[in-house]
Amino acid sequence: MKTTKFMTMALLLAAASAGMSSCSVSDNEKSPEQVEDPIKDAVEYYIVGQVTANGSALSGVTVTTTGIDAVTTDDNGQFTLTVNEQKDYALTFTKDGYMQASTSVSLAGLSNRSSVSVSIQMTQVAAEASISNTQDVLIEANSEDNTTDVSHATSDAAVANIASVGAYVPQEAIEEGTKLSMTEYVPEATSTTVAQSSSSPILAVHVAISSGSVTATPENPVVLSVKNPATSGTAFQKVTVYKSTKSRADETVGEAVYDAATNSYKLDLTSGELNGSYEFRVAYTRSASTSTSVLKEGKVDNSGNFAAQMDVALAYDAQAGWSYTSAPSGDLADLVKNAIAAQEGTEGTYTVNYSEKTNVSGNYIMYWKAEGKFNTITYTFPLMNGNLTAILKKFMGVTFTYTNVSADQHSGGTGSSTGSL
């Protein structure tokens, strides 16, 4: 009798245990799947950009910065560098046959996963030419043919015949067997941080000597000259020449005086060798106002689903670069455009594609938004008879924000995790 009672109780306990086990499994099956958000705590910033030459995209350019693997521009001349420190980065751009370019990018004050864009212009090095020391010569940078043109000159008045930029060189300044190249270029933007009042090059010339030398003296000065394209007597108020080499920073060489007789800005070099880069700079003032716009926003709705969504793609496009809303006009417009490009980067816009992947837990909703920042910028350049102005729109980069919200708490607006890209 006792045995029967014990067996009955054992059967009842076993049944209860099985029931509890079955209930536990059922509860687990109904619990929403919780997964890690791979982008929540990852710190990344993006430096995106485009490299051009003569107005066209330049592929195969190597982009380097300290501590980051080098990247190469694609067929659209574009590149992306992913970095994880909020600091300034010095970028260097190199390609065989082209002048090296560089710029500094500041990431100070950016939120996580924001981007900064740059536009860089590179210039092909001109072919070199032999310079005779048996006659005075006029040396010109021929940007159309990418050559160095040399012709006979009887005096420095010959600079009136320069198409764009060049130099008058007396024969006494030329060493026998001298070979050099003279390349006309517009310097790349030195930094993404632009001064509100400074000077900027309207044109620059790079002289590279492979043999011999050209040495200026007070008795035999070398005359550097930039053609003034205005025929109405309009000229810049002041043009200052700076020189830079690989071994030292920019230094002031002197003021290029406007010469009405030759309609050019002339600078007499009375000492030193003609070698390195010479920039003809003019003063400017700059004002900027910042605005933002929504590029794209979306929702990943996983409410009511117990399984998590994995590898959810968050993709959007953003404009980079800049364009004129009111371009400079008049005879000096092209030189002013050079000066602006030397501060802001190459004129023109391009599209950058962004894409991230994340996970959304079961019964959660993710809200996300991509916002673009752009500046409206006004430049003013003082002329001898007034001012010349221009207005442009420049796309500065992108900020991405998102919020994960539990569907159970959705009505109250409480989120479980937030982040910014």
Side-chain angles (χ1 to χ4, degrees), residues 10 43 59 75 102 131-132 141 154 166 169 199 219 248 261 270 319 323 329 347 365 378 382 393 416 421:
V43 177
S59 62
D75 291 342
S102 61
I131 313 298
S132 171
T154 57
V169 183
S199 65
E219 298 76 22
R248 65 173 183 269
T270 57
Q319 290 292 100
S323 60
S329 60
E347 177 188 354
I365 305 171
T378 301
K393 180 180 181 179
S416 66
L421 276 79

Side-chain angles (χ1 to χ4, degrees), residues 125-389:
V125 178
E128 69 175 13
S130 297
I131 313 298
S132 171
N133 68 341
T134 61
Q135 60 182 8
D136 300 344
V137 295
L138 191 67
I139 307 173
E140 293 187 70
N142 188 331
S143 59
E144 292 185 1
D145 297 332
N146 198 39
T147 58
T148 302
D149 295 344
V150 181
S151 59
H152 173 62
T154 57
S155 71
D156 63 2
V159 297
N161 301 318
I162 290 176
S164 183
V165 61
Y168 164 78
V169 183
Q171 59 182 314
E172 294 83 0
I174 306 169
E175 182 182 356
E176 184 178 357
T178 294
K179 292 182 179 181
L180 62 79
S181 67
M182 180 176 282
T183 305
E184 173 189 336
Y185 72 104
V186 177
E188 70 278 2
T190 58
S191 174
T192 54
T193 303
V194 184
Q196 300 306 294
S197 180
S198 187
S199 65
S200 185
I202 53 175
L203 208 57
V205 61
H206 178 73
V207 180
I209 297 181
S210 61
S211 64
S213 65
V214 174
T215 304
T217 63
E219 298 76 22
N220 297 292
V222 173
V223 181
L224 277 176
S225 178
V226 166
K227 186 72 174 180
N228 184 47
T231 57
S232 58
T234 301
F236 291 103
Q237 200 172 89
K238 183 179 180 181
V239 178
T240 305
V241 181
Y242 289 75
K243 183 182 179 181
S244 62
T245 65
K246 292 182 179 180
S247 60
R248 65 173 183 269
D250 293 359
E251 63 178 19
T252 304
V253 179
E255 185 177 342
V257 178
Y258 174 66
D259 179 26
T262 58
N263 196 28
S264 62
Y265 304 97
K266 296 167 58 178
L267 172 71
D268 289 351
L269 297 176
T270 57
S271 64
E273 292 188 5
L274 180 67
N275 196 13
S277 295
Y278 300 84
E279 298 181 2
F280 289 73
R281 300 184 188 177
V282 298
Y284 72 82
T285 56
R286 176 186 186 270
S287 61
S289 60
T290 302
S291 303
T292 59
S293 63
V294 177
L295 302 175
K296 190 175 181 179
E297 55 186 334
K299 177 175 73 172
V300 182
D301 192 346
N302 201 28
S303 60
N305 298 318
F306 290 96
Q309 289 192 34
M310 307 298 290
D311 294 329
V312 177
L314 309 175
Y316 58 96
D317 298 333
Q319 290 292 100
W322 63 272
S323 60
Y324 285 108
T325 55
S326 178
S329 60
D331 294 335
L332 298 179
D334 287 344
L335 294 183
V336 165
K337 287 182 177 180
N338 289 347
I340 294 174
Q343 298 301 312
E344 307 294 343
T346 312
E347 177 188 354
T349 60
Y350 53 97
T351 302
V352 179
N353 308 119
Y354 293 88
S355 181
E356 297 285 349
K357 284 188 177 181
T358 190
N359 304 323
V360 181
S361 295
N363 205 35
Y364 265 70
I365 305 171
M366 172 182 278
Y367 297 91
W368 63 272
K369 181 190 294 185
E371 294 180 289
K373 182 173 71 174
F374 64 90
N375 283 352
T376 299
I377 302 169
T378 301
Y379 272 91
T380 302
F381 295 85
L383 308 179
M384 288 184 175
N385 55 350
N387 293 321
L388 199 158
T389 62

Side-chain angles (χ1 to χ4, degrees), residues 47 62-71 79 81 83 85-94 100-108 116 118 120 188-193:
I47 302 171
T62 300
V63 186
T64 57
T65 189
T66 303
I68 305 297
D69 290 340
V71 297
F79 69 92
L81 285 170
V83 299
E85 292 186 66
Q86 196 179 80
K87 64 178 186 179
D88 291 355
Y89 290 85
L91 308 185
T92 301
F93 304 82
T94 55
Q100 178 177 298
S102 61
T103 192
S104 175
V105 179
S106 176
L107 302 185
V116 172
V118 296
I120 295 295
E188 70 278 2
T190 58
S191 174
T192 54
T193 303

Side-chain angles (χ1 to χ4, degrees), residues 6-26:
F6 285 140
M7 289 184 65
T8 301
M9 291 186 65
L11 288 171
L12 289 172
L13 287 171
S17 176
M20 290 176 65
S21 175
S22 174
C23 180
S24 176
V25 171
S26 176

